[in-house]
Amino acid sequence: MSAEAADREAATSSRPCTPPQTCWFEFLLEESLLEKHLRKPCPDPAPVQLIVQFLEQASKPSVNEQNQVQPPPDNKRNRILKLLALKVAAHLKWDLDILEKSLSVPVLNMLLNELLCISKVPPGTKHVDMDLATLPPTTAMAVLLYNRWAIRTIVQSSFPVKQAKPGPPQLSVMNQMQQEKELTENILKVLKEQAADSILVLEAALKLNKDLYVHTMRTLDLLAMEPGMVNGETESSTAGLKVKTEEMQCQVCYDLGAAYFQQGSTNSAVYENAREKFFRTKELIAEIGSLSLHCTIDEKRLAGYCQACDVLVPSSDSTSQQLTPYSQVHICLRSGNYQVRCMRRILTLSPRLENEALDEICFKVCACNTVRDILEGRTISVQFNQLFLRPNKEKIDFLLEVCSRSINLEKASESLKGNMAAFLKNVCLGLEDLQYVFMISSHELFITLLKDEERKLLVDQMRKRSPRVNLCIKPVTSFYDIPASASVNIGQLEHQLILSVDPWRIRQILIELHGMTSERQFWTVSNKWEVPSVYSGVILGIKDNLTRDLVYILMAKGLHCSTVKDFSHAKQLFAACLELVTEFSPKLRQVMLNEMLLLDIHTHEAGTGQAGERPPSDLISRVRGYLEMRLPDIPLRQVIAEECVAFMLNWRESEYLTLQVPAFLLQSNPYVKLGQLLAATCKELPGPKESRRTAKDLWEVFVQICSVSSQHKRGNDGRVSLIKQRESTLGIMYRSELLSFIKKLREPLVLTIILSLFVKLHNVREDIVNDITAEHISIWPSSIPNLQSVDFEAVAITVKELVRYTLSINPNNHSWLIIQADIYFATNQYSAALHYYLQAGAVCSDFFNKAVPPDVYTDQVIKRMIKCCSLLNCHTQVAILCQFLREIDYKTAFKSLQEQNSHDAMDSYYDYIWDVTILEYLTCILSSMCIKAIGQTELNASNPEEVLQLAAQRRKKKFLQAMAKLYF
């Protein structure tokens, strides 16, 4: 060794082996001491920490001179950091069990993507389209690693995760955790979308019959060099660490089995695939042995998977002696002609000490047999009593469910009912925990089967057995009360009360809560329980506390479920509330009938009504009945009247609204009055203008609604000054109420009528510059006697809001699109105006493949499009649009062609000009540039008229399509 080399070695050996914690990654980077660090017995930091830190440093965004955040630069330092992270993973033999345990999903995703990149997998290429057999061994292994991780991550995400107890809140840490959570969710979404492809890739891997190789630290170093120097070595069959075919297939089979098993929850047929893969994994483990370097399977977990698959898809050649008790029970359940007692024998004879998990299914089978025995007049078995020595909520819930399903109370004989009642009573007497007694005694089946005297006798027996507990009978509208055990926490019950949407469970919880304390008002437990003020006064006036709480909570929860479109639960809650209030309050009974009508309207509108199916005649009759209801002192919600009238208009019940509405309704219900005027106006539209009397009445109603009243004050000097303007009370409703009602309408003709009325009202202003056009606008009066009384600012806002709403109902209505375009034109938003003018033409001409109807592209619309293009400095477009007018505007066309500062692509538009006069003028000012355009034979003036029209129509089509692509 030379002296110089010896000096270098001595200097290297004298360096500290453990760098400072703050800059260790820089130390490893600059000093190339990674391998030395990893060879330590207990390296600090650990290898997985190194991967995290290397990738975090490599992915740090940069900031340019203008303090703008830029993506991480692709420089030498960052490439080396990524390479170091890959080398650490290679040191860990690419063991996914270790990597998944210690690295988050985003970090591991970044690591494996870098592996794909350095393994020459083309970015953007679908792995399923790649032939693994023709890829270099290390490239194929990189693809397999990524897709194995993908499906493993999907499977792992389906398992419940125990949340760690949070420490003291720190804003920076919480933000970082939230960002990582969102990033993980995004990655999982992508992986799930590609899951089918990943499974196909792994299935293809099982067909490979060659060994593969995985990158080592050395091959990664070689790849980092010049490609020409190492290409032959890295792609040869001997580069990297060898992974035998059996080892690779074993890992892939296990991962595929887990993926298929997870999919089996939604597609039971896939369990067969899972079973096949798991049993193949067991065979391969037996072949490989336990000394494999690359095949680390959790054999206990594999055994669990195999046992589950045996139950779900038992093998056809299995015998009853070879099957586990689980499998035998499952076969009994799947069989069409089994005896339940054989299941009980299987369970009874099974090795109980080795199968503690069978306790639950033992009890369920025994409970079913016991109920059958009771109904057949036999005694309760000893086994049932043994299994019921330690009762719990789940066991009692199951027993009550079995009892309820086993007897049809309408058809059952008295002896059957007596047997079931005696059984339930004996079960109650055998229980020590009063909480469980309450669960049975408050069940609907128990209340139905036992008479009042029997229930009183049962309570007396319980009192004698436990004198310290005060049990009482509380007859409240067929409800009675057994206090709960003092061990039950009120807070837990209140939590259950908030979450439950089952009427019977809500009733049970309230009975239990009232048994524990009589001083609480449980309808106040949640501030989310809201009942309309018109109802709350009646409900809170109920004297009995339990009944009051129950009615209030059932209604509040029902209204909430209806709001979130959970109509099935809303119906259950309302039905229970109706049944309850029917017994003591005719007023609240009618309230519930009204709310159930509104619920049925919403259910139909959100369901079959969206597909255009008409509502049943029964529902229409109930809506009429509500509108004609004249019961005194019934609290009514305004929204129900709105919905009923909107329902009649949406389903074109014009005959009823115009001819059959009782006169008193028109005076007492403003929504009925408004609906009658709208229906009559629509009906009169085809007739002559002078017969449209209701249109004038409707106009006056809307003018009054949009009017304001002024308040004046006389000063000390005798002058009168205006101090305030407020919405007039002369109208049949306020403008906000009218707008709320209109937004419940969907019938196109009714919406068009309302929109045209507001547009006309908008145009009546004296200072209006650009009118808005609308269909049927001519049916309205052209003036208002007192212009100062109308709040035109509110009218303008309403027009904009109504157009937005109508276009959300039907974005392809050309009349509404023209109104939107005119609004943008009137407010100098010319690009947006062109967008909607073009959209209106596109929707009624199959994207301009047909001629736009002349009543859509009127001369006024074309002139406004010309003005928009002119103000946007698109002068060539102006010249072309001048040809669209019924009389070509040559003056405007020539003037626009003379403009030097045009923002459109002038030359590309000349082919769209078909008028020879304009082309000749263009040739004069631009000479040779337009000779080609004017020289086209189809534009020859001697051609027949049909040829000239066809040439013009083809150029119109191409021009409008080009404009649409520009402005859409």
Side-chain angles (χ1 to χ4, degrees):
M1 181 186 298
S2 67
E4 186 177 347
D7 290 341
R8 277 201 307 270
E9 183 177 346
T12 302
S13 61
S14 65
R15 291 173 182 156
C17 292
T18 306
Q21 195 70 18
T22 56
C23 59
W24 54 263
F25 63 87
E26 294 284 355
F27 181 81
L28 292 174
L29 174 63
E30 294 176 5
E31 304 292 337
S32 302
L33 295 178
L34 178 63
E35 293 185 41
K36 186 175 180 181
H37 177 77
L38 292 174
R39 283 197 296 268
K40 293 179 183 178
C42 297
D44 183 23
V48 287
Q49 292 176 313
L50 287 174
I51 294 175
V52 173
Q53 293 295 338
F54 285 143
L55 292 179
E56 279 185 358
Q57 292 298 318
S59 60
K60 272 189 177 179
S62 59
V63 179
N64 61 12
E65 295 177 355
Q66 289 79 29
N67 286 328
Q68 295 175 330
V69 178
Q70 302 290 327
D74 185 20
N75 53 28
K76 181 178 178 181
R77 178 180 182 276
N78 284 350
R79 286 195 293 272
I80 292 175
L81 283 167
K82 293 174 183 177
L83 179 63
L84 291 175
L86 292 170
K87 290 176 73 173
V88 176
H91 170 76
L92 297 172
K93 305 286 193 299
W94 299 100
D95 189 330
L96 287 180
D97 289 332
I98 296 174
L99 296 174
E100 288 170 340
K101 184 178 179 181
S102 307
L103 299 180
S104 65
V105 170
V107 172
L108 194 45
N109 178 60
M110 191 187 310
L111 179 71
L112 292 176
N113 273 295
E114 288 300 327
L115 175 64
L116 292 173
C117 182
I118 204 167
S119 300
K120 307 297 194 311
V121 176
T125 305
K126 285 190 173 182
H127 296 174
V128 73
D129 296 334
M130 303 172 74
D131 184 2
L132 295 176
T134 61
L135 292 176
T138 51
T139 305
M141 196 63 195
V143 172
L144 287 186
L145 272 172
Y146 179 84
N147 287 281
R148 278 185 57 213
W149 168 75
I151 65 169
R152 287 164 66 108
T153 304
I154 294 169
V155 171
Q156 191 63 34
S157 70
S158 67
F159 298 153
V161 179
K162 184 178 180 181
Q163 298 293 334
K165 292 184 178 180
Q170 298 179 15
L171 187 59
S172 59
V173 175
M174 290 172 67
N175 288 340
Q176 184 179 354
M177 291 172 63
Q178 181 62 26
Q179 289 174 5
E180 184 171 317
K181 181 182 177 184
E182 291 174 0
L183 187 55
T184 301
E185 288 173 353
N186 291 336
I187 293 171
L188 275 172
K189 183 180 178 183
V190 174
L191 294 181
K192 287 175 182 177
E193 290 171 356
Q194 300 172 351
D197 287 353
S198 293
I199 289 174
L200 289 175
V201 170
L202 297 181
E203 287 283 9
L206 296 178
K207 299 174 184 177
L208 293 176
N209 56 2
K210 65 176 184 179
D211 295 337
L212 296 180
Y213 290 81
V214 66
H215 279 301
T216 61
M217 298 178 76
R218 178 172 175 273
T219 59
L220 290 170
D221 276 334
L222 291 172
L223 282 171
M225 299 179 187
E226 291 297 326
M229 297 171 58
V230 297
N231 189 50
E233 181 175 356
T234 55
E235 294 191 3
S236 74
S237 59
T238 58
L241 189 62
K242 184 177 179 179
V243 180
K244 292 182 180 179
T245 308
E246 294 80 6
E247 291 178 316
M248 177 271 292
Q249 289 184 350
C250 186
Q251 286 282 17
V252 170
C253 276
Y254 180 75
D255 293 337
L256 279 172
Y260 286 137
F261 194 88
Q262 187 240 350
Q263 292 176 357
S265 60
T266 55
N267 181 7
S268 57
V270 184
Y271 282 129
E272 184 63 47
N273 295 340
R275 185 183 189 282
E276 177 188 339
K277 293 294 183 289
F278 286 134
F279 280 84
R280 177 58 181 157
T281 305
K282 289 179 71 174
E283 293 173 4
L284 288 168
I285 288 175
E287 291 178 20
I288 297 167
S290 59
L291 300 177
S292 171
L293 290 174
H294 304 287
C295 186
T296 55
I297 302 292
D298 184 344
E299 295 193 35
K300 287 186 177 180
R301 194 174 188 85
L302 175 62
Y305 272 131
C306 290
Q307 188 179 33
C309 290
D310 263 340
V311 172
L312 296 166
V313 278
S315 176
S316 57
D317 60 350
S318 298
T319 63
S320 59
Q321 285 79 15
Q322 296 170 328
L323 294 174
T324 65
Y326 287 110
S327 304
Q328 295 177 53
V329 171
H330 194 73
I331 289 172
C332 289
L333 292 173
R334 288 161 62 96
S335 174
N337 56 353
Y338 65 92
Q339 293 292 324
V340 178
R341 291 191 182 280
C342 79
M343 291 171 60
R344 187 168 68 183
R345 281 197 299 273
I346 291 167
L347 295 170
T348 306
L349 296 174
S350 65
R352 295 297 306 283
L353 293 176
E354 298 176 10
N355 293 278
E356 290 298 330
L358 290 176
D359 279 349
E360 181 182 351
I361 196 167
C362 273
F363 172 77
K364 288 184 176 180
V365 173
C366 188
C368 292
N369 283 315
T370 299
V371 172
R372 188 188 64 179
D373 290 342
I374 293 301
L375 293 177
E376 291 177 357
R378 288 193 282 268
T379 58
I380 299 175
S381 67
V382 176
Q383 188 184 13
F384 175 80
N385 289 327
Q386 289 175 338
L387 291 170
F388 211 57
L389 284 174
R390 295 191 299 274
N392 56 37
K393 180 181 179 299
E394 288 73 23
K395 287 183 177 181
I396 292 173
D397 279 339
F398 180 79
L399 181 63
L400 290 171
E401 183 183 359
V402 172
C403 291
S404 299
R405 292 190 180 192
S406 301
I407 186 168
N408 186 335
L409 292 174
E410 295 179 359
K411 298 179 181 179
S413 64
E414 291 301 320
S415 62
L416 282 180
K417 292 180 182 178
N419 289 345
M420 183 64 77
F423 171 65
L424 292 175
K425 188 165 64 173
N426 286 332
V427 171
C428 283
L429 290 170
L431 293 169
E432 295 182 1
D433 193 330
L434 293 179
Q435 180 185 358
Y436 299 145
V437 174
F438 160 75
M439 287 178 64
I440 298 174
S441 61
S442 62
H443 194 274
E444 185 179 14
L445 179 64
F446 187 90
I447 295 172
T448 306
L449 290 174
L450 269 76
K451 299 177 182 178
D452 289 342
E453 295 78 11
E454 293 176 298
R455 294 202 296 270
K456 288 179 182 177
L457 180 61
L458 175 64
V459 171
D460 289 339
Q461 289 176 298
M462 302 278 299
R463 182 182 289 116
K464 291 174 183 177
R465 192 185 70 179
S466 181
R468 292 172 296 171
V469 182
N470 180 23
L471 298 171
C472 62
I473 299 297
K474 189 173 186 179
V476 179
T477 63
S478 81
F479 292 105
Y480 72 100
D481 195 357
I482 296 180
S485 168
S487 63
V488 178
N489 187 287
I490 292 180
Q492 291 177 336
L493 286 174
E494 288 179 344
H495 182 66
Q496 293 176 28
L497 187 64
I498 291 171
L499 296 179
S500 179
V501 288
D502 176 25
W504 191 252
R505 181 63 184 145
I506 292 169
R507 171 190 171 277
Q508 284 181 309
I509 294 170
L510 281 174
I511 292 174
E512 189 165 353
L513 285 169
H514 277 274
M516 298 172 71
T517 175
S518 59
E519 298 177 358
R520 293 285 302 278
Q521 295 180 328
F522 293 104
W523 63 270
T524 63
V525 164
S526 173
N527 57 8
K528 302 293 185 183
W529 293 340
E530 296 180 355
V531 167
S533 56
V534 291
Y535 298 160
S536 59
V538 181
I539 295 173
L540 298 180
I542 298 173
K543 293 182 179 179
D544 181 78
N545 293 340
L546 172 60
T547 308
R548 179 199 61 214
D549 287 346
L550 186 54
V551 173
Y552 189 98
I553 293 171
L554 289 175
M555 178 176 283
K557 284 178 174 284
L559 290 171
H560 172 74
C561 288
S562 178
T563 301
V564 299
K565 301 188 185 305
D566 183 1
F567 299 125
S568 59
H569 279 124
K571 192 159 190 173
Q572 292 175 15
L573 291 158
F574 281 165
C577 193
L578 174 64
E579 182 181 356
L580 175 62
V581 300
T582 298
E583 299 184 16
F584 66 90
S585 175
K587 186 183 294 187
L588 284 175
R589 177 181 181 276
Q590 187 58 52
V591 165
M592 291 313 305
L593 289 173
N594 296 345
E595 289 297 331
M596 293 185 78
L597 170 62
L598 180 60
L599 176 64
D600 288 342
I601 291 174
H602 286 162
T603 304
H604 179 266
E605 297 294 290
T608 56
Q610 285 189 333
E613 184 178 327
R614 281 191 62 78
S617 56
D618 170 63
L619 183 56
I620 296 174
S621 299
R622 288 167 60 201
V623 171
R624 291 183 180 184
Y626 175 83
L627 293 174
E628 297 172 9
M629 183 176 61
R630 299 185 71 178
L631 295 176
D633 300 328
I634 298 295
L636 300 174
R637 278 213 296 160
Q638 173 183 297
V639 68
I640 304 181
E642 285 184 61
E643 292 283 0
C644 285
V645 175
F647 177 84
M648 300 297 277
L649 287 170
N650 286 334
W651 295 105
R652 304 179 189 88
E653 291 292 322
S654 303
E655 195 71 21
Y656 173 78
L657 288 172
T658 53
L659 300 176
Q660 300 174 18
V661 174
F664 78 89
L665 267 182
L666 298 176
Q667 304 299 323
S668 61
N669 193 324
Y671 295 101
V672 175
K673 173 70 175 175
L674 186 59
Q676 189 260 346
L677 290 173
L678 285 168
T681 303
C682 293
K683 192 176 179 181
E684 291 177 358
L685 269 183
K689 185 175 180 180
E690 57 272 10
S691 69
R692 299 171 188 160
R693 298 183 62 88
T694 51
K696 184 180 179 182
D697 295 338
L698 184 62
W699 169 266
E700 290 175 353
V701 166
F702 273 59
V703 169
Q704 284 185 336
I705 292 173
C706 295
S707 296
V708 290
S709 59
S710 303
Q711 291 184 350
H712 298 81
K713 182 179 180 181
R714 186 179 297 276
N716 295 331
D717 56 358
R719 295 182 180 180
V720 176
S721 60
L722 177 65
I723 61 168
K724 195 172 187 180
Q725 283 193 332
R726 62 175 60 188
E727 202 168 345
S728 174
T729 56
L730 297 176
I732 61 174
M733 63 182 68
Y734 289 112
R735 187 177 62 87
S736 58
E737 295 173 335
L738 173 63
L739 196 56
S740 171
F741 171 72
I742 294 172
K743 288 185 177 181
K744 292 178 172 61
L745 299 174
R746 294 188 332 275
E747 171 58 26
L749 181 56
V750 176
L751 289 171
T752 300
I753 291 295
I754 294 171
L755 200 49
S756 69
L757 190 154
F758 270 107
V759 166
K760 184 68 175 183
L761 195 53
H762 172 272
N763 292 344
V764 167
R765 291 178 64 172
E766 293 176 344
D767 59 342
I768 198 74
V769 177
N770 296 305
D771 282 356
I772 300 174
T773 56
E775 202 173 355
H776 306 305
I777 200 169
S778 61
I779 69 174
W780 311 114
S782 55
S783 62
I784 299 174
N786 186 8
L787 280 174
Q788 290 76 20
S789 66
V790 179
D791 186 352
F792 284 109
E793 289 185 10
V795 170
I797 293 170
T798 304
V799 170
K800 293 177 183 177
E801 199 163 344
L802 286 181
V803 173
R804 278 198 299 272
Y805 171 69
T806 53
L807 288 177
S808 71
I809 296 294
N810 181 7
N812 295 325
N813 187 302
H814 65 83
S815 172
W816 300 343
L817 289 166
I818 292 290
I819 295 173
Q820 181 67 83
D822 282 350
I823 292 171
Y824 281 125
F825 181 82
T827 54
N828 304 327
Q829 300 179 68
Y830 301 115
S831 179
L834 273 175
H835 169 92
Y836 282 97
Y837 284 133
L838 289 165
Q839 192 173 340
V843 297
C844 59
S845 65
D846 190 19
F847 197 69
F848 305 113
N849 284 304
K850 302 174 184 175
V852 180
D855 60 333
V856 177
Y857 274 3
T858 62
D859 271 5
Q860 180 178 335
V861 170
I862 298 298
K863 286 177 180 178
R864 290 188 171 183
M865 292 173 71
I866 289 171
K867 186 173 181 181
C868 288
C869 290
S870 177
L871 292 168
L872 292 170
N873 287 333
C874 298
H875 300 296
T876 315
Q877 295 172 6
V878 171
I880 297 170
L881 284 170
C882 285
Q883 302 171 108
F884 283 64
L885 296 168
R886 286 177 176 79
E887 292 186 10
I888 299 176
D889 186 354
Y890 289 111
K891 181 180 178 181
T892 304
F894 294 162
K895 183 180 179 182
S896 65
L897 291 173
Q898 291 173 352
E899 293 287 344
Q900 299 297 316
N901 185 24
S902 184
H903 292 171
D904 55 20
M906 300 166 59
D907 298 352
S908 64
Y909 285 115
Y910 294 151
D911 287 339
Y912 302 134
I913 300 175
W914 66 86
D915 184 77
V916 176
T917 305
I918 296 177
L919 281 171
E920 287 175 346
Y921 177 79
L922 200 57
T923 305
C924 292
I925 62 174
L926 297 175
S927 64
S928 60
M929 295 179 65
C930 302
I931 292 177
K932 181 182 177 182
I934 199 172
Q936 298 177 74
T937 55
E938 61 185 354
L939 298 180
N940 192 317
S942 302
N943 286 337
E945 185 64 24
E946 300 82 35
V947 175
L948 294 174
Q949 287 182 359
L950 187 61
Q953 185 57 42
R954 186 161 60 248
R955 284 162 176 75
K956 282 183 180 180
K957 166 191 164 181
K958 290 182 178 178
F959 172 69
L960 290 172
Q961 286 177 342
M963 288 276 283
K965 290 177 182 176
L966 184 63
Y967 288 99
F968 280 4

